[in-house]
Amino acid sequence: MKISFQFLHVAALFVCSGRIAFCQNTGKNKPNIVWITIEDTSPHFIGCYGNPGVKTPNIDQLAKEGVRFTNAYSTNTVCAPSRFTILTGVRSSAAGTGNHRTHYNIPAEITGFPHLLKASGYYTTNNVKTDYNQAREKQMIARNWNESSNKADYRGRAAGQPFFSVFNFNESHQSRSMTNPQEWYVQNVLEKIPVSERAKSEEVIVPPFYRDSPEMRAQMVRLYNSLHFMDIKVGELIARLKAEGEWENTIIFFFGDHGQGMPGFKTHASSLGHKVPFIIRIPEKYRHLATGKPGSTYDGLVNFEDLAPTMLSLTGNKVPGYMKGTVFLGPEKKTPQKYFWGARDNTDEVIDLGRTIIRDSLAYIRIYYPHVPTIQRHKYMDVSDIMQQIRMDQKEGKLDALQSSVVSGQRAAEYLFNIKNDPWETTNLAGVPAYKKQLDELRSANRAAILKNRDVMFAPEYVLSQVDLTDTLYQFRQNDGKYPLNKILDAAELVGKGKSDIKTQKKLLTDVNSLVRYWAVIGLHNQDEKALNEKELLAFLQNEKEDFVKIELAALLADHFHTAAANEVLVSYLKNENATLVRQALRGIVNFVPSDKSLTDSVIVLREKSAAKPFKTLNYEINSCIDLILDSAGIEKLAIGKIN
């Protein structure tokens, strides 16, 4: 009998997959887990986080029955890089996946945590968004999910099998709250909400970096209604879980993917871009795993790097060594991190880079492209009524200094906000003597985080794309000979510091490392033209051999001096066969070159070429830049962009 039992036990291990049978010895006592993920939402616009005007009763009830996290952050401020980290437990700054919708390779061992849940007996489903921002999307989906579609559901599991199911709701997405046409919003959002439950203009909160006008209140009403419609959908899922008898067997995670899909939140390096609503409800039978009692709050720092290791620990799985996040739930819960560190990289056609450090009530933001405004020209944003209203108000002089600074002029290189007393980040404390000690601490913490994580995003996209041809960026960044990050960061940290650094930055223009030269140029962008020498910079332009540095030098000359030869260099790159260089040159034109007929003629020629789609994944970004340039010249009006 003993031999027979052992044989049956081993045999059971081989048949406990898929729908054949559920293997009790791998799944016994393991909780079901449901993730309710919502898009583009800040806690500032959720009822249980202190906003009485927005109607989110189902989420508020979830907080009453669970634990509401007050310091939860996305590692990125736009969806695709965030989802990469959520799935893999690896920061996009380490994997080179920080730029929105890029398709770079990652090491084979970085599989995604649901793959490991599957191996331990879970039935895994994803409904519906993937958007994992790396090269092998289809393979990663197949590896991690038993089902992944708009019909994916835990109902397909075997009897008694524990499940992990993601339900993603896009009713709060930026397309709903601002970018899709008003007629679309009325039909697909407003008319789905009972008249008595619709938001009213007098109920909304208008952030102070928006002009409080009837037009802006109408936009905020649209946002509130989109959030309420999302809450209705969340309530429908909760009702279904209860009706099917799964509510008291299932741990519920509720969170957003990054900050609000409105100007000044999503895609911006700030607490407003990173902070998310985050609630966990744990039923009575698993209450020992919770961080607090029902209705309580948890103030420890939590970020998306922590999700994968926490999920593996919670379900009794081993956490791979490449996952560096902190387990924040269950018997293996660790002490929260002292700092949150977040990233803002490129989004669609917009080139930018910022890093955010938060400790307690202070948020430090380091901007590495301060020569462009907080909200750059971005086709997907600019098609919206709210952005057109903001730009019109700016043109007509109706915005105050704070409101105007969001869309025009240079940014500061450093910001420091007290986000407890100043949640809208209106008063920069970086220059206040009383905060010098805290500023120095957080500045040093940011540098330490960049170096510790070997942040590869200090290489512009052209370099990333070239490395990806022969190596993974995850591995490349660890080779100091190929990627001397200390030296590169020294140059990047000179950006925005002032006149005293001009001599050093000019010297760095001759450095042997092209990335150092690149950051020297970015630094000179932020110097006053009176302190620069056009002929000297033109000589550097003529001698520069690296394309991505040459384009930036041309943009610098176009920005400060409107140098005709620099404009010609930018236009010449529109004929390049490399899509990344074409996009970089177009961005220089969008930001710095006044429109003229010779320029627009060249752009129109490129539009005809781009229509044939020779640029593959960058075709959308290139056409977006073209639209912005031609729109500025009065030749074309913007058309609706794709959903991000």
Side-chain angles (χ1 to χ4, degrees), residues 87-139:
L87 184 77
T88 65
V90 176
R91 285 183 177 270
S92 60
S93 55
T97 56
N99 292 336
H100 187 238
R101 295 219 169 90
T102 47
H103 300 84
Y104 298 137
N105 292 289
I106 60 173
E109 65 267 21
I110 298 176
T111 60
F113 78 86
H115 163 66
L116 301 173
L117 293 187
K118 280 176 67 178
S120 69
Y122 271 82
Y123 192 75
T124 63
T125 69
N126 178 60
N127 186 335
V128 58
K129 194 169 184 178
T130 52
D131 210 11
Y132 296 139
N133 217 46
Q134 46 80 52
R136 294 179 175 84
E137 186 100 344
K138 290 182 179 179
Q139 295 93 320

Side-chain angles (χ1 to χ4, degrees), residues 347-488:
T347 306
D348 295 333
E349 73 272 20
V350 174
I351 297 173
D352 205 351
L353 189 141
R355 294 294 180 262
T356 302
I357 281 276
I358 295 174
R359 181 187 178 189
D360 300 327
S361 62
L362 291 178
Y364 169 81
I365 297 109
R366 182 54 162 104
I367 302 296
Y368 295 94
Y369 287 80
H371 55 291
V372 292
T374 297
I375 302 178
Q376 297 184 52
R377 293 295 310 279
H378 180 186
K379 178 183 172 182
Y380 183 69
M381 295 279 285
D382 283 6
V383 299
S384 66
D385 292 340
I386 185 173
M387 277 311 306
Q388 291 180 30
Q389 184 66 49
I390 289 172
R391 295 195 186 282
M392 182 184 299
D393 287 346
Q394 166 72 5
K395 186 176 180 180
E396 295 176 357
K398 295 179 179 179
L399 303 184
D400 63 25
L402 173 66
Q403 296 156 1
S404 180
S405 68
V406 175
V407 290
S408 65
Q410 292 190 355
R411 290 175 283 181
E414 293 181 310
Y415 293 89
L416 183 68
F417 297 110
N418 186 321
I419 54 177
K420 181 179 180 180
N421 300 332
D422 181 20
W424 301 113
E425 300 181 345
T426 63
T427 303
N428 186 8
L429 303 172
V432 177
Y435 285 87
K436 184 180 185 305
K437 182 179 179 180
Q438 294 96 321
L439 178 67
D440 290 343
E441 176 199 346
L442 295 177
R443 180 191 293 138
S444 297
N446 179 55
R447 181 181 178 93
I450 291 169
L451 295 175
K452 179 182 177 181
N453 288 274
R454 297 291 299 178
D455 189 340
V456 74
M457 302 310 298
F458 282 80
E461 195 163 316
Y462 175 75
V463 175
L464 300 178
S465 64
Q466 294 303 298
V467 170
D468 184 64
L469 297 174
T470 58
D471 196 2
T472 67
L473 295 163
Y474 184 87
Q475 293 161 327
F476 163 78
R477 84 196 207 286
Q478 299 178 68
N479 186 324
D480 202 60
K482 294 180 179 179
Y483 188 63
L485 183 54
N486 264 293
K487 186 177 179 181
I488 294 164

Side-chain angles (χ1 to χ4, degrees), residues 462 545-552 573 576 581 584:
Y462 175 75
K545 303 301 181 185
E546 193 68 61
D547 290 321
F548 73 94
V549 182
K550 193 166 188 173
I551 291 171
E552 210 56 48
Y573 274 98
N576 199 280
L581 294 175
Q584 185 185 354

